[in-house]
Coordinates of all heavy atoms in Angstrom, one line a residue:
M16 N 92.6 96.4 105.8 CA 93.8 95.7 105.4 C 94.5 95.2 106.6 O 94.7 95.9 107.6 CB 94.8 96.7 104.7 CG 94.4 97.1 103.3 SD 95.7 98.1 102.5 CE 95.1 99.7 102.9
N17 N 94.8 93.9 106.6 CA 95.5 93.2 107.7 C 97.0 93.5 107.6 O 97.6 93.6 106.6 CB 95.3 91.7 107.5 CG 93.9 91.3 107.8 OD1 93.1 92.0 108.5 ND2 93.5 90.2 107.1
V18 N 97.6 93.6 108.8 CA 99.0 93.7 108.9 C 99.6 92.3 109.1 O 99.1 91.6 109.9 CB 99.4 94.6 110.1 CG1 100.9 94.6 110.3 CG2 98.9 96.0 109.9
I19 N 100.6 92.0 108.3 CA 101.2 90.6 108.3 C 102.7 90.7 108.3 O 103.2 91.7 107.9 CB 100.7 89.7 107.2 CG1 101.1 90.3 105.8 CG2 99.2 89.5 107.3 CD1 100.8 89.3 104.6
T20 N 103.3 89.6 108.7 CA 104.8 89.5 108.5 C 105.1 88.3 107.6 O 104.3 87.3 107.5 CB 105.5 89.3 109.9 OG1 105.0 88.1 110.5 CG2 105.2 90.5 110.8
L21 N 106.2 88.4 106.9 CA 106.7 87.3 106.0 C 108.2 87.2 106.3 O 108.9 88.1 106.5 CB 106.5 87.7 104.5 CG 105.1 88.0 104.0 CD1 105.2 88.5 102.6 CD2 104.2 86.7 104.1
K22 N 108.7 86.0 106.2 CA 110.1 85.7 106.2 C 110.5 85.3 104.8 O 109.9 84.3 104.2 CB 110.4 84.5 107.1 CG 111.9 84.2 107.3 CD 112.6 85.2 108.0 CE 114.0 84.7 108.4 NZ 114.7 85.7 109.2
L23 N 111.4 86.1 104.2 CA 111.8 85.9 102.8 C 113.0 84.9 102.7 O 113.7 84.8 103.7 CB 112.1 87.2 102.1 CG 111.0 88.3 102.1 CD1 111.5 89.6 101.5 CD2 109.7 87.8 101.5
I24 N 113.2 84.3 101.6 CA 114.3 83.4 101.4 C 115.7 84.0 101.6 O 116.6 83.4 101.8 CB 114.2 82.5 100.1 CG1 114.3 83.4 98.9 CG2 113.0 81.7 100.1 CD1 114.4 82.7 97.6
N25 N 115.7 85.4 101.4 CA 117.0 86.1 101.6 C 117.3 86.4 103.0 O 118.4 86.9 103.4 CB 117.1 87.3 100.7 CG 116.2 88.4 101.3 OD1 115.4 88.2 102.2 ND2 116.3 89.6 100.7
G26 N 116.4 86.0 103.9 CA 116.6 86.2 105.4 C 115.9 87.4 105.9 O 115.7 87.5 107.2
D27 N 115.4 88.3 105.1 CA 114.6 89.4 105.6 C 113.3 89.0 106.2 O 112.6 88.1 105.6 CB 114.3 90.4 104.5 CG 115.5 91.3 104.1 OD1 116.5 91.2 104.8 OD2 115.4 91.9 103.0
E28 N 113.0 89.6 107.3 CA 111.6 89.5 107.9 C 110.9 90.8 107.7 O 111.5 91.8 108.1 CB 111.6 89.1 109.3 CG 110.2 88.7 109.9 CD 110.3 88.1 111.2 OE1 111.3 87.7 111.7 OE2 109.2 88.0 111.8
I29 N 109.8 90.8 107.0 CA 109.2 92.0 106.6 C 107.8 92.1 107.2 O 107.2 91.1 107.6 CB 109.1 92.2 105.1 CG1 108.3 91.1 104.4 CG2 110.5 92.4 104.5 CD1 108.1 91.3 103.0
I30 N 107.3 93.3 107.4 CA 105.9 93.6 107.9 C 105.3 94.6 106.9 O 105.9 95.5 106.4 CB 106.0 94.1 109.3 CG1 104.6 94.2 109.9 CG2 106.8 95.4 109.5 CD1 104.6 94.4 111.5
G31 N 104.0 94.4 106.7 CA 103.3 95.4 105.8 C 101.8 95.1 105.9 O 101.3 94.2 106.5
R32 N 101.1 96.0 105.2 CA 99.6 95.9 105.1 C 99.3 95.0 103.8 O 99.7 95.3 102.7 CB 99.0 97.2 104.9 CG 99.1 98.1 106.1 CD 98.3 99.4 105.9 NE 98.3 100.2 107.1 CZ 99.0 101.3 107.3 NH1 99.8 101.7 106.3 NH2 99.0 102.0 108.4
E33 N 98.6 93.9 104.1 CA 98.2 93.0 102.9 C 97.2 93.7 102.1 O 96.1 94.1 102.6 CB 97.7 91.7 103.5 CG 97.4 90.7 102.3 CD 97.0 89.4 102.8 OE1 96.7 89.2 104.0 OE2 96.9 88.4 102.0
V34 N 97.5 93.9 100.8 CA 96.6 94.5 99.8 C 95.8 93.4 99.1 O 94.6 93.6 98.8 CB 97.4 95.4 98.8 CG1 96.5 96.0 97.8 CG2 98.1 96.5 99.6
G35 N 96.5 92.3 98.8 CA 95.8 91.2 98.1 C 96.7 90.0 98.0 O 97.9 90.1 98.3
S36 N 96.2 88.9 97.6 CA 97.0 87.7 97.4 C 96.3 86.8 96.3 O 95.1 86.9 96.1 CB 97.2 87.0 98.7 OG 96.0 86.5 99.2
T37 N 97.2 86.1 95.7 CA 96.8 85.1 94.7 C 97.5 83.8 95.0 O 98.3 83.8 96.0 CB 97.1 85.5 93.2 OG1 98.5 85.6 93.1 CG2 96.5 86.9 92.9
T38 N 97.4 82.8 94.2 CA 98.1 81.6 94.4 C 99.6 81.8 94.1 O 100.5 81.0 94.6 CB 97.6 80.4 93.5 OG1 97.6 80.8 92.2 CG2 96.2 80.0 94.0
D39 N 100.0 82.9 93.4 CA 101.3 83.1 93.0 C 102.1 84.2 93.8 O 103.3 84.2 93.9 CB 101.4 83.5 91.5 CG 101.0 82.4 90.6 OD1 101.2 81.2 90.9 OD2 100.4 82.7 89.5
N40 N 101.3 85.1 94.4 CA 102.0 86.2 95.1 C 101.1 86.8 96.2 O 99.9 86.5 96.3 CB 102.4 87.3 94.1 CG 101.2 87.9 93.4 OD1 100.3 88.5 94.0 ND2 101.2 87.9 92.1
I41 N 101.8 87.6 97.1 CA 101.2 88.4 98.1 C 101.6 89.8 97.9 O 102.8 90.1 97.7 CB 101.6 87.9 99.5 CG1 101.1 86.5 99.8 CG2 101.0 88.8 100.6 CD1 101.6 85.9 101.1
E42 N 100.6 90.7 97.9 CA 100.9 92.1 97.7 C 100.7 92.9 99.0 O 99.7 92.8 99.7 CB 99.9 92.7 96.6 CG 100.3 94.1 96.2 CD 99.5 94.5 95.0 OE1 98.6 93.8 94.5 OE2 99.7 95.6 94.5
L43 N 101.8 93.6 99.3 CA 101.8 94.4 100.5 C 102.0 95.9 100.2 O 102.6 96.2 99.2 CB 103.0 94.0 101.5 CG 103.0 92.5 101.9 CD1 104.2 92.3 102.8 CD2 101.7 92.2 102.7
S44 N 101.6 96.8 101.1 CA 101.9 98.2 101.0 C 102.6 98.6 102.3 O 102.5 97.9 103.3 CB 100.6 99.0 100.8 OG 99.8 99.0 101.9
K45 N 103.4 99.7 102.2 CA 104.1 100.2 103.3 C 105.0 99.1 104.0 O 104.8 98.9 105.2 CB 103.2 100.9 104.4 CG 102.3 102.0 103.8 CD 103.1 103.2 103.7 CE 102.2 104.4 103.3 NZ 102.8 105.6 103.3
V46 N 105.9 98.5 103.2 CA 106.7 97.4 103.7 C 107.9 97.9 104.5 O 108.6 98.7 104.0 CB 107.1 96.5 102.5 CG1 107.9 95.3 103.0 CG2 105.9 96.1 101.7
F47 N 108.0 97.3 105.6 CA 109.2 97.6 106.5 C 109.9 96.3 106.8 O 109.3 95.2 106.8 CB 108.7 98.2 107.9 CG 108.4 99.6 107.8 CD1 107.3 100.1 107.0 CD2 109.1 100.6 108.6 CE1 107.0 101.5 107.0 CE2 108.7 101.9 108.6 CZ 107.7 102.4 107.8
V48 N 111.2 96.4 107.0 CA 112.0 95.2 107.3 C 112.2 95.3 108.8 O 112.4 96.4 109.4 CB 113.4 95.2 106.6 CG1 114.3 96.3 106.9 CG2 114.1 93.9 106.8
L49 N 112.2 94.2 109.5 CA 112.4 94.1 110.9 C 113.9 93.7 111.2 O 114.4 92.9 110.6 CB 111.5 93.0 111.5 CG 110.0 93.1 111.3 CD1 109.3 91.9 111.7 CD2 109.5 94.4 112.0
R50 N 114.5 94.5 112.1 CA 115.9 94.2 112.5 C 116.0 94.2 114.0 O 115.4 95.0 114.7 CB 116.8 95.4 111.9 CG 116.8 95.5 110.4 CD 117.8 94.5 109.9 NE 118.0 94.7 108.5 CZ 117.8 93.9 107.5 NH1 117.4 92.7 107.8 NH2 118.0 94.1 106.3
L51 N 116.9 93.3 114.4 CA 117.2 93.2 115.9 C 118.3 94.3 116.1 O 119.2 94.5 115.3 CB 117.7 91.9 116.3 CG 116.7 90.7 116.2 CD1 117.3 89.4 116.6 CD2 115.5 91.0 117.1
H52 N 118.2 94.9 117.3 CA 119.3 95.9 117.7 C 119.4 95.8 119.2 O 118.5 95.4 119.9 CB 118.9 97.3 117.2 CG 117.7 97.9 117.9 ND1 117.7 98.5 119.1 CD2 116.4 97.8 117.5 CE1 116.4 98.9 119.4 NE2 115.6 98.4 118.4
Q53 N 120.6 96.2 119.6 CA 120.9 96.2 121.0 C 121.0 97.6 121.5 O 121.7 98.5 120.9 CB 122.3 95.5 121.2 CG 122.6 95.3 122.7 CD 123.8 94.4 122.9 OE1 124.5 94.1 122.0 NE2 124.0 94.0 124.2
G54 N 120.2 97.9 122.5 CA 120.1 99.2 123.1 C 121.3 99.5 124.0 O 122.1 98.6 124.3
P55 N 121.4 100.7 124.5 CA 122.6 101.1 125.3 C 122.6 100.3 126.6 O 123.7 100.2 127.2 CB 122.4 102.6 125.5 CG 121.0 102.9 125.1 CD 120.5 101.8 124.2
D56 N 121.4 99.8 127.1 CA 121.4 99.0 128.3 C 121.6 97.6 128.1 O 121.6 96.8 129.0 CB 120.0 99.2 129.0 CG 118.9 98.8 128.1 OD1 119.1 98.4 126.9 OD2 117.7 98.9 128.5
G57 N 121.9 97.2 126.8 CA 122.2 95.8 126.5 C 121.0 95.0 126.1 O 121.1 93.8 125.7
Q58 N 119.8 95.5 126.3 CA 118.6 94.9 125.9 C 118.5 94.8 124.4 O 118.8 95.7 123.7 CB 117.4 95.6 126.5 CG 117.3 95.7 128.0 CD 116.5 94.5 128.5 OE1 115.8 93.8 127.8 NE2 116.6 94.4 129.8
V59 N 118.0 93.7 123.9 CA 117.8 93.5 122.5 C 116.3 93.8 122.2 O 115.4 93.4 122.8 CB 118.1 92.0 122.0 CG1 117.7 91.8 120.6 CG2 119.5 91.7 122.3
G60 N 116.2 94.6 121.1 CA 114.8 95.1 120.7 C 114.7 94.9 119.2 O 115.6 94.5 118.5
V61 N 113.5 95.2 118.7 CA 113.2 95.0 117.3 C 113.0 96.4 116.7 O 112.2 97.2 117.3 CB 111.9 94.2 117.0 CG1 111.6 94.2 115.6 CG2 112.1 92.8 117.6
G62 N 113.7 96.7 115.7 CA 113.5 98.0 115.0 C 112.9 97.8 113.6 O 113.0 96.7 113.0
M63 N 112.3 98.8 113.1 CA 111.7 98.8 111.7 C 112.3 99.9 110.9 O 112.4 101.0 111.3 CB 110.2 98.9 111.8 CG 109.5 97.9 112.6 SD 107.7 98.2 112.7 CE 107.3 97.2 114.1
M64 N 112.5 99.6 109.6 CA 112.9 100.6 108.6 C 112.3 100.2 107.3 O 112.0 99.0 107.0 CB 114.4 100.7 108.6 CG 115.2 99.4 108.2 SD 116.9 99.5 108.4 CE 117.4 100.3 106.9
P65 N 112.1 101.2 106.4 CA 111.5 100.9 105.1 C 112.3 99.8 104.4 O 113.6 99.9 104.4 CB 111.6 102.2 104.4 CG 111.6 103.3 105.5 CD 112.3 102.6 106.6
W66 N 111.6 98.9 103.8 CA 112.3 97.8 103.1 C 112.9 98.3 101.8 O 114.0 97.9 101.4 CB 111.3 96.7 102.8 CG 111.9 95.4 102.2 CD1 112.8 94.6 102.8 CD2 111.7 94.9 100.9 NE1 113.1 93.6 101.9 CE2 112.4 93.8 100.7 CE3 110.9 95.4 99.8 CZ2 112.5 93.0 99.6 CZ3 110.9 94.6 98.7 CH2 111.7 93.4 98.6
M67 N 112.2 99.3 101.1 CA 112.7 99.9 100.0 C 112.6 101.4 100.2 O 111.5 101.9 100.5 CB 111.9 99.5 98.7 CG 112.2 98.2 98.2 SD 111.4 97.9 96.6 CE 112.2 99.0 95.5
I68 N 113.7 102.1 100.0 CA 113.7 103.6 100.2 C 113.0 104.2 99.0 O 112.3 105.2 99.2 CB 115.1 104.1 100.4 CG1 115.7 103.6 101.7 CG2 115.1 105.6 100.4 CD1 117.1 103.8 101.9
S69 N 113.1 103.7 97.8 CA 112.6 104.3 96.6 C 111.1 104.0 96.4 O 110.5 104.5 95.5 CB 113.4 103.9 95.4 OG 113.3 102.4 95.3
N70 N 110.5 103.1 97.2 CA 109.1 102.7 97.0 C 108.4 102.4 98.3 O 108.8 101.4 98.9 CB 109.0 101.5 96.0 CG 107.6 101.1 95.7 OD1 106.6 101.7 96.2 ND2 107.4 100.1 94.9
D71 N 107.5 103.2 98.7 CA 106.7 102.8 99.9 C 105.3 102.4 99.5 O 104.4 102.4 100.4 CB 106.8 103.9 101.0 CG 106.0 105.1 100.6 OD1 105.6 105.2 99.4 OD2 105.8 106.0 101.5
G72 N 105.0 102.2 98.2 CA 103.7 101.9 97.8 C 103.5 100.4 97.8 O 104.0 99.7 98.7
E73 N 102.7 99.8 96.9 CA 102.4 98.4 96.9 C 103.5 97.6 96.2 O 104.0 98.0 95.1 CB 101.1 98.2 96.2 CG 100.0 98.9 97.0 CD 98.6 98.9 96.3 OE1 98.5 98.4 95.2 OE2 97.7 99.4 96.9
I74 N 103.8 96.5 96.8 CA 104.9 95.6 96.2 C 104.4 94.2 96.2 O 103.8 93.7 97.3 CB 106.2 95.7 97.1 CG1 106.7 97.1 97.1 CG2 107.2 94.7 96.5 CD1 107.8 97.3 98.1
K75 N 104.5 93.5 95.1 CA 104.1 92.1 95.0 C 105.3 91.2 95.3 O 106.4 91.4 94.8 CB 103.6 91.7 93.6 CG 102.2 92.3 93.3 CD 101.7 91.9 92.0 CE 100.4 92.5 91.7 NZ 99.9 92.1 90.4
F76 N 105.1 90.2 96.2 CA 106.1 89.2 96.6 C 105.7 87.9 96.0 O 104.6 87.4 96.4 CB 106.3 89.2 98.1 CG 106.8 90.4 98.7 CD1 106.0 91.4 99.1 CD2 108.2 90.6 98.8 CE1 106.5 92.6 99.6 CE2 108.7 91.7 99.4 CZ 107.9 92.8 99.7
D77 N 106.5 87.3 95.2 CA 106.3 86.0 94.6 C 106.4 85.0 95.7 O 107.3 85.0 96.5 CB 107.4 85.7 93.6 CG 107.1 84.5 92.7 OD1 106.8 83.4 93.3 OD2 107.0 84.6 91.5
R78 N 105.4 84.1 95.8 CA 105.4 83.1 96.9 C 106.6 82.2 96.9 O 107.0 81.6 97.9 CB 104.1 82.3 96.8 CG 102.9 83.1 97.3 CD 101.6 82.2 97.4 NE 100.5 83.0 97.6 CZ 100.0 83.2 98.9 NH1 100.6 82.7 99.9 NH2 98.9 83.9 99.0
R79 N 107.3 82.1 95.7 CA 108.5 81.2 95.7 C 109.6 81.9 96.5 O 110.6 81.2 96.8 CB 108.9 81.0 94.2 CG 107.9 80.2 93.4 CD 108.4 80.1 92.0 NE 108.3 81.5 91.4 CZ 108.5 81.8 90.1 NH1 108.8 80.8 89.3 NH2 108.4 83.0 89.7
N80 N 109.5 83.2 96.7 CA 110.5 83.9 97.5 C 110.2 84.0 99.0 O 110.9 84.7 99.7 CB 110.8 85.3 96.9 CG 111.4 85.1 95.5 OD1 112.2 84.3 95.3 ND2 110.9 85.9 94.6
I81 N 109.1 83.4 99.4 CA 108.6 83.5 100.8 C 109.0 82.2 101.5 O 108.5 81.1 101.0 CB 107.1 83.8 100.9 CG1 106.8 85.2 100.2 CG2 106.6 83.8 102.3 CD1 105.4 85.5 100.1
L82 N 109.8 82.2 102.5 CA 110.2 81.0 103.3 C 109.1 80.6 104.2 O 108.8 79.5 104.4 CB 111.5 81.3 104.0 CG 112.1 80.2 104.8 CD1 112.4 79.0 103.9 CD2 113.3 80.6 105.6
A83 N 108.5 81.6 104.9 CA 107.4 81.3 105.9 C 106.5 82.5 106.0 O 106.8 83.6 105.8 CB 108.1 81.1 107.3
G84 N 105.2 82.2 106.4 CA 104.2 83.2 106.6 C 103.1 83.0 105.5 O 103.2 82.1 104.6
P85 N 102.2 83.9 105.5 CA 102.0 85.1 106.4 C 101.7 84.8 107.8 O 101.0 83.8 108.1 CB 100.9 85.9 105.7 CG 100.1 84.8 105.0 CD 101.0 83.7 104.6
F86 N 102.1 85.6 108.7 CA 101.9 85.5 110.1 C 101.2 86.8 110.6 O 101.5 87.9 110.0 CB 103.1 85.3 110.9 CG 103.9 84.1 110.6 CD1 105.1 84.1 109.9 CD2 103.4 82.8 110.9 CE1 105.8 83.0 109.6 CE2 104.1 81.7 110.5 CZ 105.3 81.8 109.9
T87 N 100.5 86.7 111.7 CA 99.9 87.9 112.3 C 100.9 88.3 113.4 O 101.3 87.5 114.2 CB 98.6 87.6 113.0 OG1 97.7 87.1 112.0 CG2 98.0 88.8 113.7
P88 N 101.4 89.6 113.3 CA 102.4 90.0 114.3 C 101.9 90.2 115.7 O 100.6 90.4 115.8 CB 102.9 91.4 113.7 CG 101.7 91.9 112.9 CD 101.1 90.7 112.4
P89 N 102.7 90.1 116.7 CA 102.2 90.4 118.0 C 101.6 91.9 118.1 O 102.0 92.7 117.3 CB 103.5 90.4 118.9 CG 104.5 89.6 118.1 CD 104.1 89.8 116.7
S90 N 100.7 92.1 119.0 CA 100.0 93.3 119.0 C 100.9 94.5 119.2 O 100.7 95.6 118.6 CB 98.8 93.3 120.0 OG 99.4 93.1 121.3
D91 N 101.9 94.4 120.0 CA 102.8 95.6 120.3 C 103.6 95.9 119.0 O 103.9 97.1 118.7 CB 103.7 95.4 121.5 CG 104.6 94.1 121.4 OD1 104.2 93.2 120.6 OD2 105.6 94.1 122.0
M92 N 104.0 94.9 118.2 CA 104.7 95.1 117.0 C 103.8 95.7 116.0 O 104.2 96.6 115.2 CB 105.3 93.8 116.5 CG 106.1 93.9 115.2 SD 106.7 92.3 114.5 CE 107.8 91.8 115.8
E93 N 102.5 95.3 115.9 CA 101.6 95.9 115.0 C 101.3 97.3 115.3 O 101.3 98.2 114.4 CB 100.3 95.1 115.0 CG 99.3 95.6 114.0 CD 98.0 94.8 114.0 OE1 97.9 93.8 114.7 OE2 97.1 95.2 113.2
R94 N 101.2 97.7 116.6 CA 101.0 99.1 117.0 C 102.2 99.9 116.6 O 102.1 101.0 116.1 CB 100.8 99.2 118.5 CG 99.4 98.9 118.9 CD 99.1 99.3 120.3 NE 100.0 98.6 121.3 CZ 99.8 97.4 121.8 NH1 98.8 96.7 121.5 NH2 100.7 97.0 122.7
G95 N 103.4 99.4 116.8 CA 104.6 100.1 116.4 C 104.7 100.3 114.9 O 105.1 101.4 114.5
Y96 N 104.3 99.3 114.2 CA 104.3 99.4 112.7 C 103.3 100.5 112.3 O 103.7 101.3 111.4 CB 104.0 98.1 112.1 CG 103.7 98.2 110.6 CD1 104.6 98.4 109.7 CD2 102.3 98.2 110.2 CE1 104.3 98.5 108.3 CE2 102.0 98.3 108.9 CZ 103.0 98.5 107.9 OH 102.7 98.6 106.6
L97 N 102.1 100.4 112.8 CA 101.1 101.4 112.4 C 101.5 102.8 112.7 O 101.2 103.7 111.9 CB 99.7 101.0 113.0 CG 99.1 99.7 112.5 CD1 97.9 99.3 113.3 CD2 98.8 99.8 111.0
S98 N 102.1 103.0 113.9 CA 102.6 104.4 114.2 C 103.7 104.8 113.3 O 103.7 106.0 113.0 CB 103.0 104.4 115.7 OG 104.2 103.8 115.9
Q99 N 104.6 104.0 112.8 CA 105.7 104.4 111.9 C 105.2 104.5 110.5 O 105.8 105.3 109.7 CB 106.8 103.4 112.0 CG 107.6 103.5 113.2 CD 108.9 102.7 113.1 OE1 109.5 102.5 112.0 NE2 109.5 102.3 114.2
S100 N 104.2 103.7 110.1 CA 103.8 103.7 108.7 C 102.7 104.7 108.3 O 102.4 104.8 107.2 CB 103.5 102.3 108.2 OG 102.3 101.9 108.9
S101 N 102.1 105.3 109.3 CA 101.0 106.2 109.0 C 101.4 107.6 108.7 O 102.5 108.0 109.0 CB 100.1 106.3 110.2 OG 99.5 105.0 110.5

């Protein structure tokens, strides 16, 4: 399963494992939302948290709700995601 990111029309940028795709949707598992945060030293970083608290299984995203993507995340982001989602 490939790890991909999507930018949704509501502004969320999400990361997850691609389970499958059709012409109408993309299905992901273990979906996290990416958020920018500022550390105590003033540096800006990227944090991840579950996109849905009530469901960490497979979720289908209608392509009409996807603004951009799918993209392959940078390797350090993918490693961070895999360590949090395993």
Side-chain angles (χ1 to χ4, degrees):
M16 284 188 269
N17 293 331
V18 176
I19 62 169
T20 61
L21 301 171
K22 182 73 168 184
L23 303 179
I24 61 172
N25 70 352
D27 285 348
E28 187 169 350
I29 58 172
I30 187 169
R32 291 182 176 107
E33 184 177 10
V34 176
S36 64
T37 67
T38 55
D39 295 327
N40 61 59
I41 296 177
E42 188 169 4
L43 301 178
S44 68
K45 302 282 186 177
V46 181
F47 282 61
V48 64
L49 303 172
R50 295 280 189 237
L51 293 177
H52 63 87
Q53 188 170 7
D56 59 356
Q58 296 267 349
V59 175
V61 177
M63 297 179 203
M64 57 190 279
W66 186 68
M67 285 186 68
I68 295 171
S69 61
N70 181 2
D71 70 350
E73 297 174 358
I74 302 170
K75 287 184 182 179
F76 293 89
D77 191 306
R78 288 187 185 266
R79 293 176 296 187
N80 296 318
I81 298 171
L82 181 63
F86 300 111
T87 301
S90 59
D91 57 336
M92 183 183 292
E93 183 175 358
R94 280 192 304 274
Y96 165 78
L97 291 171
S98 71
Q99 285 194 27
S100 66
S101 296

